[in-house]
Amino acid sequence: MHQAIVFLPLVGFLIAGLFGRLIGARASELVTTGLLMISAFFAWIVFFQTAFGGHDGTVELFTWMASGKLDVTWAIRVDTLTAVMLILVTTVSSLVHLYSMGYMHEDPSRPRFFAYLSLFTFAMLMLVTSDNLVQLFFGWEGVGLASYLLIGFWYDKPSACAAAMKAFIVNRVGDFGFALGIFAVYLMTGSVAFEQVFAAAPSLMDKNILFLGHEWHAPTVICLLLFIGAMGKSAQLGLHTWLPDAMEGPTPVSALIHAATMVTAGVFMVARLSPLFELSDTALNVVLFVGASTAFFAATVGCVQNDIKRVIAYSTCSQLGYMFVALGTGAYSVGVFHLLTHGFFKALLFLAAGSVIHAMHHEQDMRHMGGLWRKIPFTYATMMIGGLALTGFPFTAGYFSKDAIIETAFVSHSPAATYAWVMTVAAAALTAFYTWRQMFMTFHGKTRADHHTFDHAHESPLTMLIPLGVLSLGALFAGMILYPYFVGHDVDHFFRESIFMASDNKILEEMHHIPGWAKWAPTVMMALGFAVAYWMYIANTAVPKALAKQNDVLYRFLLNKWYFDELYDFLFVRPTMWLGRFLWKQGDMRVIDGYGPNGVSARVIDVTNRVVRLQTGYLYHYAFVMLVGVAALITWFMFGGAH
């Protein structure tokens, strides 16, 4: 059963990818979607068996590589953390497959699209079931490849190709740090298998590692290098710039990347390697600080975006920051809890946005929408549910998981805890503001759309609406049902050994004893964000333009995403382009092609032509040359060559 969960998506990828043109688009859709649904069904069985039945274990498939002390086994590790990720990945992916059957029905390249979706899912499943760091890195790079293929799926659009390249290159920066982290783990423990690494982890506490010419605390160096990889995959501040541009891909791709695959990989990796991160307070402080900064930064940018998908994209970036805040406080289960609930309501929001775009004939600018709730009431209701969960409305999924993260920041003893609490509470207000701004601009007020487009707007087909209904249930009830197992008193029993917390880590106990004003602060800020959005976009619609005009510098600062792209262009892109142009003009054209009658390259060709004449084809000529060579070699050894 475990093998089926992982490899059925691979089978779907091979069938649709190799035989898609032969069997046709409809067959490709049905095969890949059907196999994903079977995989999801098995994943739920494994989840209940593992999480509640205690059936942890490892299924060894074969020895992948063995060289000296390095022994890498290809195995499927199944514990509670894996089981949680299995249900998230397979459920969201199967619903995205089903949704895509309606959303992509006019695209002639559907077999290729569904093949890529299944490949994406397989790579993520390999990542979450990995039993060692090398296998995890295989899945890690696999989701990077699949995201490149899907973001640039419409390769005839220059913007899509540029976005795919950007995602691939930025992730290579993070992956370089991640690879160094894996090398450091092997250097210090002699293994890459999780069991051996975790067993050796306590012995690292007093060890140093030579890095960049200095001796550093080994666990700190290892964890910071690994976290650089997480920053790239999970789009944390500094390596976040690829995520908003990933909107160039089809909307179902956005839902899969932002909810179940790719961006969740970094959060999962830190939680999986909790035995290492527990050894370094410095690393946890860095995780906490970066997560809090990302949560606030992305929320501020989301407040001024006009593309309906980009608003949700920056929301993802912000919510990932929340998850790393929980991980940085040592509350790993709380971070995974928000990862799970966020997967449901973020997939819902993206797919609902896709339904809006479908109804508006591919219009994505919210300034050209409005008044749509009567035209597409089911989409409106489901997007409202997703928005309420995102803002943390009481008793929705986000209320339980996001508020729990803010509580961990309040009680944490980290030097960055106060900063993290302030940033996450402020981000809660901003999240409510941009969410309701999106709802009001899209569905309420007078329509600003073209009359022809608005008159022909209609609800999406059933294949697109069924996933919205299923995800709405998760957005409403997942937090309420699962709270005791991720945050309450059943955490130790539920996760057992899959998440490690040191004996002095009492964060989950302390968070239940915070003062009432701190507990209700996120809810108050959520209500404040709603009130401001209502005032600006329903009660007095002239306010936003007036504020933007009065605060032009701040507005442009946010609209240009804090000028990170411009900064990177100045620091990295332009110098690289200058160097490349210099080597081309001075090295290639001037030196190689410039000197001599026809340049250096022409002289090389002349010499080559003369050497070729030595190739006579006669065996005795070659034997004679070999004999001369052997004689010269013996002479060299006799007269000082050998010592």
Side-chain angles (χ1 to χ4, degrees), residues 483-557:
Y483 182 86
Y485 304 105
F486 286 84
V487 186
H489 300 293
D490 295 332
V491 174
D492 291 338
H493 176 71
F494 185 72
F495 279 98
R496 292 179 293 281
E497 301 298 324
S498 61
I499 286 180
F500 174 78
M501 297 178 68
S503 57
D504 59 345
N505 187 344
K506 305 295 183 183
I507 190 76
L508 294 181
E509 298 177 16
E510 295 174 0
M511 64 179 289
H512 294 292
H513 303 288
I514 68 171
W517 66 269
K519 183 176 181 63
W520 288 103
T523 305
V524 173
M525 298 303 282
M526 176 206 68
L528 178 62
F530 166 78
V532 174
Y534 183 85
W535 171 57
M536 294 176 64
Y537 292 95
I538 297 294
N540 191 348
T541 55
V543 170
K545 290 184 179 179
L547 283 177
K549 189 174 182 179
Q550 293 172 7
N551 303 277
D552 183 64
V553 175
L554 176 61
Y555 177 71
R556 291 186 179 277
F557 179 71

Side-chain angles (χ1 to χ4, degrees), residues 259-428:
T261 61
M262 190 69 170
V263 298
T264 64
V267 180
F268 168 80
M269 184 265 286
V270 174
R272 170 63 79 201
L273 300 179
S274 54
L276 292 176
F277 279 85
E278 282 288 270
L279 300 176
S280 175
D281 290 337
T282 302
L284 289 177
N285 290 334
V286 171
V287 173
L288 179 61
F289 178 81
V290 172
S293 302
T294 305
F296 179 76
F297 152 76
T300 61
V301 178
C303 291
V304 298
Q305 297 299 306
N306 296 310
D307 186 308
I308 189 171
K309 288 173 63 177
R310 282 186 178 267
V311 174
I312 306 173
Y314 278 104
S315 168
T316 299
C317 192
S318 180
Q319 297 304 305
L320 289 165
Y322 273 97
M323 297 174 205
F324 280 106
V325 167
L327 298 174
T329 64
Y332 306 100
S333 63
V334 177
V336 175
F337 184 34
H338 194 52
L339 184 154
L340 178 61
T341 60
H342 172 265
F344 289 122
F345 63 72
K346 187 51 59 69
L348 174 60
L349 284 170
F350 265 114
L351 297 185
S355 184
V356 172
I357 295 168
H358 181 271
M360 294 296 292
H361 300 282
H362 304 290
E363 177 62 68
Q364 296 183 197
D365 194 327
M366 297 186 297
R367 293 172 295 185
H368 300 154
M369 298 181 186
L372 285 175
W373 74 272
R374 290 187 180 90
K375 290 286 187 177
I376 46 176
F378 186 82
T379 299
Y380 170 67
T382 55
M383 197 161 187
M384 177 69 76
I385 292 172
L388 290 173
L390 173 61
T391 61
F393 189 81
F395 307 113
T396 60
Y399 169 76
F400 289 97
S401 59
K402 189 170 77 172
D403 285 19
I405 292 174
I406 298 175
E407 292 169 13
T408 63
F410 184 83
V411 301
S412 173
H413 302 293
S414 168
T418 302
Y419 170 80
W421 185 78
V422 172
M423 290 294 101
T424 51
V425 170

Side-chain angles (χ1 to χ4, degrees), residues 463-487:
T463 52
M464 295 173 64
L465 298 183
I466 290 175
L468 297 182
V470 175
L471 290 169
S472 296
L473 297 176
L476 285 173
F477 303 114
M480 186 185 308
I481 295 172
L482 296 173
Y483 182 86
Y485 304 105
F486 286 84
V487 186

Side-chain angles (χ1 to χ4, degrees), residues 233-257:
K233 276 291 180 288
S234 295
Q236 293 302 283
L237 189 64
L239 297 178
H240 67 281
T241 53
W242 68 270
L243 189 61
D245 291 350
M247 298 302 97
E248 291 293 338
T251 300
V253 174
S254 304
L256 197 56
I257 290 177

Side-chain angles (χ1 to χ4, degrees), residues 36-48:
L36 250 299
M37 289 186 172
I38 296 172
S39 179
F41 175 73
F42 288 156
W44 279 96
I45 295 175
V46 169
F47 172 71
F48 285 108

Side-chain angles (χ1 to χ4, degrees), residues 2 5-6 75-78 82 86 124-132 135 194 268 272:
H2 302 98
I5 295 171
V6 176
I76 298 176
R77 180 188 182 94
V78 181
T82 299
L86 287 178
M124 189 65 190
L125 291 173
M126 284 306 312
L127 191 156
V128 301
T129 58
S130 57
D131 189 48
N132 57 73
Q135 187 178 334
F194 290 143
F268 168 80
R272 170 63 79 201

